[in-house]
Amino acid sequence: MAAFPAPASGVVSTDQLVLRAAVSAFLGRYRGQTRVHTESDLRVFLCWCTDHDLDPLAAAQADVERYVRWLQDVRRYQPSTVSRRLSVVVKFYRVCVIDAILDHSPADYVRRPTVPAEPPTLGLGHLQFEALITTGRLSTNPNDFALVTLLGLLGLRIFEACGASIVDLGEEHGHRVLRVRGKGGKVVLVPLPPAVARAIDRAVDDRTSGPILRNTLGVRMDRHAATRRLKHLAATAGIRMPRMHPHMLRHTFVTTMLDAREPA
């Protein structure tokens, strides 16, 4: 199981087999990107348990509280991140109780950090987005232009843009399209405006397989790398935003309905 750290000795005990079965049963309740993110958050807790010589199925409430303090004081995560990762641990233990692996959950009464209310997500203004897409087009990294157009002109979610591959490109009724895998594994064909098609062609170059968007190491770009690129582009374009993140471009697309031909 990918979420479970391998034992140093290479020998899997009975307790570890039970834990692996519990993790598998828990993750089996999720699909798509939800499963990916849930597995990632659970892995942090399981690795913490391994580092502290703690069997997750023998943990007490005090142990889960120590984990929360570690997230806050050592890793210095924001309250929203701590709350999300604790939520995954709570759900994991509840599934263990449902599946009769545990009699009770050690996480049910662990206090969650207070998460301050966040203002609603706002998109970029027309001039800001035009500056961003111009900066992306002039960037020496062709992935920048493709990233901005996929998010801002096509309205894709960040996981949809990063998950797009060259084999997903095609043609329907004379129009270039991109096969997009959305939430819940739903697949749709999205027509490509000329500006987006040109940006994709630049990023793909002469490749015939692999991801459309690549990071600086030449492998598939993930949401973290995408966020870093967008922050860099925004700074280069002189856009002053308190918190630049990929969803702002989707919000820009949805709220302003920019014509793809205007900025490009």
Side-chain angles (χ1 to χ4, degrees):
M1 178 55 57
F4 187 75
S9 64
V11 178
V12 181
S13 67
T14 301
D15 289 342
Q16 289 169 333
L17 289 174
V18 174
L19 176 58
R20 291 192 177 195
V23 171
S24 179
F26 171 66
L27 294 177
R29 289 166 163 81
Y30 298 92
R31 295 289 183 273
Q33 287 298 308
T34 302
R35 175 178 176 132
V36 172
H37 297 318
T38 301
E39 181 176 342
S40 176
D41 287 338
L42 181 61
R43 186 187 300 116
V44 174
F45 174 66
L46 296 178
C47 287
W48 179 86
C49 289
T50 299
D51 292 342
H52 290 78
D53 295 322
L54 174 66
D55 177 3
L57 297 182
Q61 178 175 329
D63 296 315
V64 181
E65 290 172 343
R66 282 198 300 134
Y67 170 66
V68 172
R69 288 196 298 272
W70 175 78
L71 293 174
Q72 295 171 318
D73 301 337
V74 178
R75 299 305 300 270
R76 297 187 178 279
Y77 286 129
Q78 294 294 320
S80 58
T81 302
V82 175
S83 180
R84 188 194 74 235
R85 292 198 160 162
L86 175 58
S87 175
V88 169
V89 173
V90 170
K91 292 175 182 176
F92 168 67
Y93 280 123
R94 285 179 180 171
V95 169
C96 288
V97 173
I98 291 172
D99 292 346
I101 296 174
L102 294 176
D103 292 331
H104 66 279
S105 167
D108 275 348
Y109 299 103
V110 175
R111 209 168 185 183
R112 300 193 186 191
T114 301
V115 179
E118 294 187 358
T121 300
L122 298 177
L124 301 177
H126 179 85
L127 294 179
Q128 289 177 319
F129 181 65
E130 187 171 349
L132 185 68
I133 201 169
T134 299
T135 302
R137 185 173 60 242
L138 297 177
S139 172
T140 57
N141 184 343
N143 294 281
D144 289 341
F145 189 33
L147 173 64
V148 174
T149 58
L150 285 170
L151 299 178
L153 293 180
L154 214 57
L156 299 189
R157 299 177 177 87
I158 185 59
F159 78 86
E160 294 170 341
C162 291
S165 297
I166 296 173
V167 295
D168 295 323
L169 296 169
E171 188 172 312
E172 290 286 335
H173 306 296
H175 297 283
R176 294 188 66 183
V177 296
L178 175 67
R179 184 182 296 104
V180 176
R181 294 170 180 81
K183 285 187 174 181
K186 183 178 180 180
V187 178
V188 296
L189 291 179
V190 181
L192 295 179
V196 181
R198 290 195 297 269
I200 290 176
D201 289 342
R202 283 181 52 185
V204 169
D205 197 15
D206 59 354
R207 292 182 294 126
T208 58
S209 63
I212 291 176
L213 297 176
R214 296 184 294 174
N215 62 20
T216 54
L217 298 178
V219 298
R220 185 180 296 276
M221 183 183 293
D222 61 18
R223 59 191 176 93
H224 303 294
T227 301
R228 290 193 296 269
R229 292 310 303 168
L230 288 176
K231 288 181 178 179
H232 171 75
L233 290 172
T236 303
I239 300 173
R240 298 179 180 273
M241 300 294 294
R243 185 188 174 196
M244 184 67 185
H245 55 88
H247 191 66
M248 294 182 69
L249 290 183
R250 176 172 167 82
H251 192 80
T252 299
F253 169 81
V254 172
T255 57
T256 65
M257 303 300 288
L258 288 172
D259 189 316
R261 293 170 295 181
E262 289 183 6

